[in-house]
Amino acid sequence: MNSIMFYLGAIIVGLALGLQSPMNSALGRIALPKNSAVLNNLVGLIILVVISFADGSIKQFASLFKAPTYLLFGGALGSIIVLGSIILIPKLGAATFASIIVSAQMIAAILIDNFGLFGVEKTPINWFKAIGVVLLIIGVRLIKA
């Protein structure tokens, strides 16, 4: 697969994230936010289990239990993300919410790269990255205006 496909994949994931949060928020107005988050995660679980059975990768599921315990916290973070979007989008608006989380994600990603966390190759913070984060934060303010 060439690098263009990776970029397109990232764009598709970004669009899905941009749609998912407002859709979850709309669901949260129909039912309690926690129940909406449970349904969201349940639907995702069912889809991933079906795909895993279909492609045979479910056979390797047990290998996940060999992973360090702290890596399992990713599932808890996913729940926080879903529930947070359900609660916060009606208060902030979809665009402001998205701009804030993208800025926060970039700060986290730069720190992860800088320290080589979770097996990521170390890539030091430089002025370009720092300026990029500052511009993202300025963008949050512009989008909120």
Side-chain angles (χ1 to χ4, degrees):
M1 188 184 295
N2 63 30
S3 63
I4 292 173
M5 296 305 290
F6 293 132
Y7 286 101
L8 287 174
I11 290 168
I12 290 168
V13 169
L15 290 171
L17 254 170
L19 292 170
Q20 179 197 30
S21 295
M23 291 171 77
N24 289 341
S25 180
L27 187 61
R29 289 189 297 274
I30 296 169
L32 291 173
K34 285 181 213 150
N35 292 338
S36 301
V38 168
L39 180 63
N40 172 283
N41 286 295
L42 182 61
V43 169
L45 173 66
I46 291 168
I47 290 170
L48 290 172
V49 167
V50 168
I51 290 169
S52 295
F53 272 108
D55 71 4
S57 63
I58 196 75
K59 296 173 191 169
Q60 298 173 3
F61 188 80
S63 65
L64 292 173
F65 295 106
K66 298 175 186 169
T69 307
Y70 70 89
L71 292 179
L72 302 179
F73 190 61
L77 294 173
S79 296
I80 292 168
I81 292 165
V82 171
L83 183 59
S85 69
I86 291 169
I87 293 169
L88 295 171
I89 285 178
K91 310 283 188 229
L92 298 172
T96 299
F97 176 79
S99 65
I100 291 169
I101 65 168
V102 166
S103 298
Q105 283 177 303
M106 187 55 61
I107 292 167
I110 287 172
L111 291 171
I112 289 166
D113 282 349
N114 185 68
F115 295 108
L117 302 175
F118 312 115
V120 173
E121 184 178 335
K122 280 188 177 186
T123 308
I125 295 174
N126 58 37
W127 284 106
F128 293 111
K129 291 177 185 179
I131 291 169
V133 168
V134 169
L135 291 173
L136 281 170
I137 294 168
I138 291 169
V140 170
R141 181 65 183 128
L142 292 173
I143 288 170
K144 189 176 181 317

